[in-house]
Amino acid sequence: MPRVSDMKQRLTDAALDLMWENSYGTTSVDAICERAGAKKGSFYYFFKSKSELTVAALEAEWNKNKANMDALFSPTIPPLERLDRYFDYVHDRLAELKKECGSILGCPLLSIGSEVSTQDQSVRATVDRIWDRKIKYFESAIRDAHAQGLIVAPDPEAKARALFACYHGTLAQARIQNDVELIRDFKHVAMDVLGVKQAQAVSK
Amino acid sequence: MPRVSDMKQRLTDAALDLMWENSYGTTSVDAICERAGAKKGSFYYFFKSKSELTVAALEAEWNKNKANMDALFSPTIPPLERLDRYFDYVHDRLAELKKECGSILGCPLLSIGSEVSTQDQSVRATVDRIWDRKIKYFESAIRDAHAQGLIVAPDPEAKARALFACYHGTLAQARIQNDVELIRDFKHVAMDVLGVKQAQAVSK
DNA sequence: CTCTTAGTAGACCAACCAGTCAACTATTTA
DNA sequence: TAAATAGTTGACTGGTTGGTCTACTAAGAG
């Protein structure tokens, strides 16, 4: 089996970086190739189309983050603290990225998903699928919190979806206003959504 | 003063329709002209660029909705009911649009804003400005509710921003999943965010 | 050493993009 | 009726887009 290459991954990495910072539409195949150090021929050797590359890039990003997500949402951590740590983690990462590129980028799933949802069903479905996987982390944290009597959430799945949506709205607003402030404040909003009383909130 | 024309408005209407349903990037000047029944020359007679047209289209949309927003958020209506009615109104409108085009479109401010935020500062700033105006409706409803002892919100501006962000996250998720369900449920989430006890919620 | 296979190279294409421009036309005022 | 003004027309341009194609090359297996 001759000749190995990491070009496929370089292409998905480049694509996600560019689409996250800019948008799906303004990220051209040429630009992706340039950033990955590839030529057009290589691109279309690995992917049938820009759409297919995007699906692969989103799945690759998920796989890259999964281990970290598993750690953040480990059942060994008190359930509300899992959420708290996750919010901190995202905040810190976005703040770090802002130093590099000057902008708060929000969540690529939402940006890309919202942009292509009515136009590209396979990308839309991919975003949808990954979105659901991420909600599962919220869901089990919420279920555990309910079981421990920290909150009242008889329908953890619905609560998780609602909280996840609220969080992404905050990330989107942060992107539009290019301001981390809201993200920092979201922790308190999350406690409201979950119905945690101040006294019960995660102590520092 | 010779020759009058409603073409400027036809162009902004067409642009907003297309960008709302599809996206900023995939909405071409040609497509806008076709839908408005204009030729390229007319487009660039009224607007210097696609970017400038978009700014005008967003402002025009705001002006079209303003009277209705003023009515929905009239101080004569109990504060929490104002929000309730607003959520109903948006839900009904999006459900109606879905019948026409097959998709839940979400909020054009968020879709367009998120897409262009890092690329087009004047459109970004316009979205930002209109976003702030809309928050004002939430803010005064929240302040009134606080004054009446219906909720505890010592910082109505922050609460309004948070609630608005949560709502838009829900609208974005509805667009991505093409599902009204979440929007229907948002009313209850809003009451959680505001800290309204069930018994105090708007009665039917 | 050579065959096979996985990957690379880059010229090329038709479609489309935002934007330009000079000629044209309808309408109002004087 | 004629001049001035407000709006319209559509061909055109140069650059970009996603995608194709044929020729090429590096490396492991026999």
Side-chain angles (χ1 to χ4, degrees):
Chain A
M1 250 159 227
R3 209 171 187 178
V4 283
S5 166
D6 61 344
M7 189 53 83
K8 191 166 181 172
Q9 191 199 316
R10 302 238 306 277
L11 285 165
T12 53
D13 283 353
L16 200 103
D17 286 353
L18 291 170
M19 288 178 189
W20 195 2
E21 178 168 355
N22 305 303
S23 69
Y24 178 86
T26 60
T27 299
S28 69
V29 173
D30 283 329
I32 295 166
C33 287
E34 195 186 339
R35 177 180 261 246
K39 302 291 159 146
K40 268 267 181 71
S42 294
F43 184 102
Y44 287 98
Y45 173 73
F46 289 111
F47 306 102
K48 281 214 302 279
S49 65
K50 183 180 168 185
S51 169
E52 198 178 80
L53 172 270
T54 306
V55 168
L58 290 168
E59 286 288 356
E61 174 76 3
W62 160 261
N63 286 321
K64 241 197 289 182
N65 290 344
K66 188 176 179 304
N68 187 42
M69 288 291 280
D70 286 343
L72 283 166
F73 284 90
S74 165
T76 61
I77 303 169
L80 295 179
E81 200 178 320
R82 291 175 219 167
L83 291 165
D84 213 63
R85 286 194 197 184
Y86 173 68
F87 297 142
D88 278 337
Y89 167 75
V90 174
H91 171 275
D92 292 349
R93 174 125 194 256
L94 288 176
E96 198 180 309
L97 279 168
K98 184 175 184 178
K99 279 185 205 157
E100 284 168 35
C101 77
S103 301
I104 291 292
L105 300 184
C107 173
L109 281 183
L110 185 137
S111 308
I112 296 171
S114 171
E115 183 180 349
V116 308
S117 63
T118 61
Q119 321 234 40
D120 187 317
Q121 284 314 301
S122 64
V123 173
R124 212 224 79 222
T126 303
V127 169
D128 211 356
R129 204 182 322 126
I130 297 174
W131 194 280
D132 278 346
R133 287 181 209 148
K134 288 193 166 186
I135 285 179
K136 289 264 188 279
Y137 290 106
F138 278 42
E139 187 182 334
S140 79
I142 289 170
R143 186 174 290 111
D144 288 351
H146 177 78
Q148 293 177 25
L150 298 169
I151 62 174
V152 177
D155 186 348
E157 202 266 335
K159 220 19 161 199
R161 291 186 93 69
L163 182 61
F164 201 71
C166 289
Y167 188 48
H168 278 78
T170 303
L171 295 178
Q173 186 170 342
R175 177 179 169 101
I176 292 170
Q177 306 186 334
N178 198 28
D179 180 9
V180 255
E181 201 71 14
L182 279 149
I183 302 180
R184 175 165 271 132
D185 293 345
F186 185 75
K187 247 186 255 190
H188 312 302
V189 178
M191 296 303 124
D192 288 337
V193 172
L194 294 174
V196 180
K197 291 179 189 67
Q198 282 304 342
Q200 292 177 316
V202 176
S203 57
K204 278 277 139 188
Chain B
M1 249 158 229
R3 209 170 186 178
V4 284
S5 167
D6 61 344
M7 188 55 82
K8 191 166 181 173
Q9 190 199 316
R10 302 236 308 275
L11 285 165
T12 53
D13 283 353
L16 200 103
D17 285 353
L18 290 170
M19 289 177 188
W20 195 3
E21 178 168 352
N22 306 302
S23 70
Y24 178 85
T26 61
T27 298
S28 69
V29 173
D30 282 325
I32 295 167
C33 288
E34 197 187 338
R35 176 180 262 245
K39 302 290 154 125
K40 266 266 180 71
S42 293
F43 184 101
Y44 286 98
Y45 173 74
F46 289 110
F47 306 103
K48 280 216 302 280
S49 65
K50 182 181 167 185
S51 169
E52 199 178 80
L53 171 269
T54 307
V55 168
L58 290 169
E59 285 289 356
E61 173 75 3
W62 159 262
N63 286 321
K64 242 197 288 183
N65 290 343
K66 188 175 179 304
N68 187 43
M69 288 290 282
D70 286 343
L72 283 166
F73 284 90
S74 165
T76 60
I77 302 169
L80 295 180
E81 199 177 319
R82 292 175 218 167
L83 291 165
D84 214 63
R85 287 195 196 183
Y86 173 68
F87 296 141
D88 277 338
Y89 167 75
V90 175
H91 171 275
D92 292 350
R93 173 122 195 259
L94 288 176
E96 198 179 309
L97 278 167
K98 184 175 184 178
K99 279 185 206 156
E100 284 168 35
C101 78
S103 300
I104 291 291
L105 300 184
C107 174
L109 281 183
L110 185 138
S111 307
I112 296 172
S114 171
E115 184 181 349
V116 308
S117 64
T118 61
Q119 321 234 42
D120 186 318
Q121 285 313 301
S122 63
V123 173
R124 212 223 81 223
T126 303
V127 169
D128 212 356
R129 205 181 324 124
I130 297 174
W131 194 280
D132 279 345
R133 286 182 210 148
K134 287 193 168 187
I135 285 179
K136 290 262 187 283
Y137 290 106
F138 278 42
E139 187 181 335
S140 79
I142 289 169
R143 186 173 290 111
D144 288 350
H146 177 78
Q148 294 177 25
L150 297 169
I151 62 174
V152 177
D155 186 349
E157 202 266 335
K159 218 24 159 199
R161 290 186 94 69
L163 182 62
F164 200 71
C166 288
Y167 188 48
H168 278 78
T170 304
L171 295 178
Q173 187 170 339
R175 177 180 168 99
I176 292 170
Q177 306 185 334
N178 197 28
D179 181 9
V180 256
E181 201 69 15
L182 279 149
I183 302 179
R184 176 165 270 132
D185 293 346
F186 185 76
K187 246 187 254 190
H188 311 302
V189 178
M191 295 303 122
D192 288 337
V193 172
L194 295 174
V196 180
K197 290 179 190 68
Q198 281 305 344
Q200 291 176 318
V202 176
S203 57
K204 277 280 138 191

